[in-house]
Amino acid sequence: MAHTIPLAHALDDSHLSPTLPVPAEEPAPVVGDAARYHHPHYLSADQISAHEIRFAFREFTGREPEPSSPLEMYRDPTITSEQRTQISHQYTAARVLWSQRRMRVQAAPLLETAALRWSAWTIAHDTMMVRFAEFATLPDDRWRSQVLRLLDAHRVARQMAADWDDIAEQLAVVVDDQHAAACDWRDELDLAVVAADLGVDIKGWLVDHISAYRATPYYQHDTPLVARLVKTIDDQRARLADVAHLSADHDTGGQLAPNRL
């Protein structure tokens, strides 16, 4: 008995299957020109290693807008993921250089003011320490007048310390802004380096982290240099109070008990 097998295509008169049509090739995807998304200061990029690219830029002034990858790049279907990644790295590198330059620009006038205030603080602190040391050789009949001179020196030193902490906080803000823009700790710029470049010696200066100058919702605290000074003042007052009590001058001893000015 004859069997039939259904064919996908009909046979022609020669009983051969017609030639199947060759499928048309899909057009290659269009790759966009990523150069239009480069940062305006971009010059070139060199592949240093498999995982490192070195970017070159025109010098930043620090007054330009913060470099940020353009949003249009992420909506552009002609830009490949590799292109987006490289441009993103480019803007990261640009942001680091921009932040370092901005820090130098912002720190320059602050450092000039800070140098004057640190000098004023140093004089006030040294005067206070001299006034306290003078008690050791002072005649008893001049003791109370010396207390007055010391308290005046305390108040002046407290004001100079507060003035210093005010400018130190501004410097801490500048440092914190630069560190926040850096993508790696190696890109963080040290204030001492900036100061040295500007010819300012900040050795011995007390510039703490920005958080040390900000009040918290839970408790109030003195700013760093004021806190250090208050500890010294309290120690001095406690010492004089002890002497007053031992000398049976209890009224003076009570008045000299440590407290915050």
Side-chain angles (χ1 to χ4, degrees):
M1 179 182 294
H3 295 276
T4 60
I5 300 175
L7 300 176
H9 302 282
L11 298 175
D12 58 17
D13 291 340
S14 64
H15 304 289
L16 297 176
S17 177
T19 302
L20 296 176
V22 178
E25 293 184 2
E26 295 185 3
V30 178
V31 178
D33 180 13
R36 65 182 179 275
Y37 297 117
H38 288 174
H39 189 274
H41 285 40
Y42 171 79
L43 294 176
S44 63
D46 295 322
Q47 191 79 40
I48 304 303
S49 67
H51 305 288
E52 184 179 2
I53 299 176
R54 178 181 296 155
F55 295 94
F57 300 87
R58 287 190 292 109
E59 186 175 2
F60 286 90
T61 67
R63 296 182 175 87
E64 303 90 350
E66 179 176 350
S68 179
S69 300
L71 294 178
E72 295 81 4
M73 176 185 70
Y74 297 99
R75 305 189 186 105
D76 190 341
T78 68
I79 300 299
T80 67
S81 60
E82 291 79 7
Q83 288 175 315
R84 289 192 185 95
T85 298
Q86 183 164 350
I87 293 175
S88 176
H89 290 333
Q90 177 193 135
Y91 275 84
T92 297
R95 187 163 52 253
V96 169
L97 294 176
W98 165 83
S99 70
Q100 292 177 346
R101 181 60 180 168
R102 181 186 62 167
M103 179 178 171
R104 287 183 166 91
V105 170
Q106 293 178 336
L110 296 177
L111 288 168
E112 184 177 350
T113 300
L116 297 175
R117 292 194 183 181
W118 187 258
S119 178
W121 149 254
T122 301
I123 292 171
H125 177 265
D126 290 349
T127 299
M128 180 187 81
M129 300 305 289
V130 168
R131 295 287 177 266
F132 181 74
E134 288 172 345
F135 279 98
T137 58
L138 202 66
D140 289 346
D141 59 351
R142 294 180 56 192
W143 202 80
R144 293 196 176 191
S145 64
Q146 186 68 11
V147 168
L148 177 60
R149 297 175 70 193
L150 177 64
L151 295 182
D152 287 343
H154 283 172
R155 291 188 180 93
V156 172
R158 175 66 182 263
Q159 183 60 56
M160 295 302 101
D163 289 347
W164 168 258
D165 279 339
D166 175 69
I167 197 69
E169 179 180 0
Q170 296 178 58
L171 287 169
V173 169
V174 169
V175 173
D176 188 66
D177 285 348
Q178 194 281 318
H179 289 186
C183 61
D184 188 278
W185 65 267
R186 291 170 295 184
D187 298 320
E188 295 179 355
L189 199 54
D190 191 271
L191 182 62
V193 173
V194 175
D197 291 343
L198 295 170
V200 180
D201 181 9
I202 68 171
K203 184 178 180 180
W205 288 13
L206 177 59
V207 179
D208 213 326
H209 186 268
I210 184 60
S211 60
Y213 300 93
R214 303 290 172 82
T216 73
Y218 309 104
Y219 64 91
Q220 296 293 324
H221 60 83
D222 287 322
T223 47
L225 190 58
V226 170
R228 182 184 296 182
L229 173 65
V230 166
K231 175 64 168 59
T232 302
I233 289 175
D234 285 350
D235 289 345
Q236 290 184 351
R237 293 175 70 111
R239 176 63 173 157
L240 295 177
D242 286 345
V243 173
H245 284 305
L246 290 173
S247 303
D249 188 354
H250 301 297
D251 290 339
T252 301
Q255 293 172 358
L256 286 172
N259 58 61
R260 294 178 181 268
L261 298 179

